[in-house]
Amino acid sequence: MGTVLGAMSNVRWHELQHAYGSASQVPGVLSRIAWGDAPSSDEALNDLERWIGTPPVFDSTAATVPFLWELAATDTVRDRAGVLDLLSTILAAGNPEHPAWTRAAHEAVAEGRGTAVRLAADDTAAPHPRTVRAAATRLLAAIDGHTCPACPAGPAPSPAGA
């Protein structure tokens, strides 16, 4: 698999769930996004959005997000803007029955903020620089303005006299 998505084998996908059952198919779908032709890549991105990104999020969502950030940062991925949009969708989604899954997914998206900053400023982002920049700028605004019941509302106040 090379260096892109190389760490996927470290995740116990078969123990995680998505909207339709076992997340064991997620690595194959991520690979199709990374290396598939246009129809295959588009179908894989749509599948992944249905599985992990539409409300509610699942335990597999947080495990998938770091790989989505990898794909967004990889010039050879066909629909980097679509990957960034999926990250925005995940940040807006939640699971009221499992707030820890929501928080983990949102924190995983927020951890990629530096990549969003870089992509929002990149005039050469292949294959479609304006589209990638626009998607990254939207995601960056969503990260910076994110609030939800499952996520902490900023740093805790410091104790008096500290």
Side-chain angles (χ1 to χ4, degrees):
M1 244 182 255
T3 57
V4 175
L5 303 179
M8 278 194 313
S9 62
N10 297 332
V11 177
R12 299 174 74 129
W13 296 103
H14 65 283
E15 294 178 6
L16 302 175
Q17 297 291 307
H18 61 58
Y20 300 98
S22 172
S24 61
Q25 313 96 331
V26 170
V29 172
L30 288 167
S31 294
R32 285 184 17 232
I33 294 168
W35 297 290
D37 59 15
S40 177
S41 178
D42 291 346
E43 179 184 352
L45 192 55
N46 289 334
D47 286 347
L48 198 57
E49 184 169 0
R50 280 192 347 266
W51 293 355
I52 67 158
T54 56
V57 297
F58 293 86
D59 58 350
S60 64
T61 306
T64 305
V65 167
F67 302 108
L68 292 173
W69 278 117
E70 260 189 83
L71 294 174
T74 302
D75 289 341
T76 56
V77 171
R78 293 180 183 277
D79 191 1
R80 296 167 68 199
V83 172
L84 291 165
D85 288 341
L86 176 54
L87 287 164
S88 291
T89 298
I90 292 167
L91 189 62
N95 189 327
E97 294 179 20
H98 298 281
W101 293 353
T102 300
R103 186 173 42 259
H106 293 178
E107 287 174 352
V109 172
E111 286 172 8
R113 187 183 185 284
T115 299
V117 167
R118 185 175 54 77
L119 293 173
D122 189 354
D123 289 336
T124 63
H128 307 289
R130 278 183 244 136
T131 307
V132 171
R133 279 197 328 258
T137 300
R138 286 190 304 271
L139 178 54
L140 192 55
I143 291 170
D144 290 347
H146 177 73
T147 60
C148 81
C151 296
S158 54

